[in-house]
Amino acid sequence: MAKVLMKGNEAIGAAAIQAGCKYFFGYPITPQNELPEYMSKELPKNDGVFVQAESEVAAINMVYGAAGCGVRVMTSSSSPGIALKQEGITYIAGAELPCVIVNIVRGGPGLGGIQPAQSDYFQSTRGGGNGDYKLLVLAPANLQEMVDMVQEAFDMADYYRNPVMVVGDGMIGQMMEPIEFRTPVKRELPSKEGWATTGTKGNRKPHIINSLFLDPQGLEDHNIRLQKKYKTMKENEARYEAYNMENAEIVLAAYGTTSRICKNAIDKLKEEGINIGLIRPQTLWPFPEKAFQEIPETVKAALTVEMSEGQMIDDVRLALNGKIPTEFYGRSGGMIPTPDAIIDKIKEMLGGLK
Amino acid sequence: MLNEKVICAGFGGQGVMSMGQLLTYAGMVEDKQVSWLPSYGPEMRGGTANCNVIVADSLIGSPIINDDATCAIVMNLPSLDKFEVDVAPKGKILINSSLIEKKAKRDDITAYYIPANEIALELGNARVANMVMLGAYIELSKAVKIESLHKALQKVFGGSKAHLIAVNEEALARGAEFVR
């Protein structure tokens, strides 16, 4: 298929429809509005349904209902809107239903601003809702990866019967890049017949979708089963890109938009003869711990760069487990780090290392 | 190696976003690496709109242009004031002299003064001032071939807007001619 030039938010919608998404429930918020707008126009043409709900809470519960019927369903929002959806998200995770949730992150806390940020890392990876649950969290850095990941997210959700979150930011949502729609690597997907509420037609017992377990032992058993599933996800789904790691003196850790800025900094430093590597998590959960455990001996320190006041750095530290010192550089509130500022921080660190 | 970083800026309605998109599209037609990043939010409402376009031979890192623009195309005075500083030394600034009386301050960049609105009015369509500027930029930078822009125009002005292609092509040509 030929390349097309699309805006990030619209590309997400197109990828979802390509993946067989038939239902979208959402509520407007900048900077992701082009996505629901696109779905409102395109889903009806593709045998699907778009509903602008009365609130984010309503939208995520519509997703819960549709997911319970076994259909491919998606919602999207931006940071404070995703905060409102957390109750529904933990219910969906607890009831083990597949769905895709897109967060085009903006600056926080509270209503915050509308410019790009990465300050929802904890919200996405630690469970913004209650209980011991996990989402698969994908973090694309460019639009091609975005459309590939959105398509695959639906397969992953069905494969694990688990909500999958795709995390972008205002920049990824608003920018345009050429993309090509490709078919994701095929997974053997389990049948939904055993649990989806598709109507008994008088021929079987009703299927029940539920996240309430009043018997403590029953709930613990449920949790143990969930943990087993999360363990499988952890073993199979962690992904990352390693960039310029050979002979690197410092390794940067950054995802999404920030990783692109880091690459500019790395390329600039390379011209000066300074070798800096980058580990770019493509999945935020599971976190690609192995990438950090296998860093080359030449690396003397790590620098985590985020559009936040420091969230992913916790996972970088846990993965490195004290092996090398780990520092942080970040901007927040919608401010975006510049390559030069990252270079300055790296040089400051190199000065201290020598 | 081609690594053009262009800031297009002006009032909302001057077509700065579509000017950037056409350049991006033309780059894609030539199989180059391209990105288009718009400003969004309150600054767009009644103020300046701008977009960052990168057309390059090698993979693009950040789509953001900080202070390393190879060219700024400014359609109004606030845009000149705001973006002149973002042009890299030896870069270009294309100034819409129909609306901007002020001259560029810096002497380490080359300024071109193009009466884009006047030229557009001569063509009978005030709205193609953006294409005059884009035509001038392409002539100066050779970032993409003019034929690729024509292809991009056909893609953007498909169907009911097809009658606009001719005047847009004319505007591109007049802009190029002006700086030749």
Side-chain angles (χ1 to χ4, degrees), chain A residues 3-5 7 30-31 105-106 114-116 169-172 174-179 257 260-261 263-264 267-268 336-340, chain B residues 5 20-22 24-26 28 31-43 45 54 59-64 66-68 155:
Chain A
K3 279 187 178 169
V4 288
L5 189 64
K7 205 169 187 181
T30 306
V105 183
R106 56 189 247 179
I114 60 170
Q115 297 300 321
D169 59 62
M171 199 174 91
I172 295 229
Q174 295 294 324
M175 72 183 291
M176 285 177 115
E177 274 181 331
I179 46 171
T257 287
R260 300 178 65 141
I261 303 164
K263 282 185 180 176
N264 281 25
D267 294 347
K268 244 176 162 175
I336 300 171
T338 62
D340 285 344
Chain B
K5 298 186 168 192
Q21 280 181 14
L22 274 171
T24 312
Y25 218 111
M28 187 180 84
D31 232 2
K32 295 195 162 83
Q33 303 290 328
V34 293
S35 67
W36 176 89
L37 177 70
S39 58
Y40 65 92
E43 58 176 334
R45 300 193 180 120
I54 301 180
L59 277 177
I60 295 167
S62 165
I64 305 166
N66 289 107
D67 48 10
D68 54 352
K155 203 87 188 172

Side-chain angles (χ1 to χ4, degrees), chain A residues 245-268:
Chain A
M245 291 295 284
E246 209 178 314
N247 298 321
E249 294 178 67
I250 289 178
V251 64
L252 306 184
Y255 68 96
T257 287
T258 314
S259 69
R260 300 178 65 141
I261 303 164
C262 284
K263 282 185 180 176
N264 281 25
I266 290 169
D267 294 347
K268 244 176 162 175

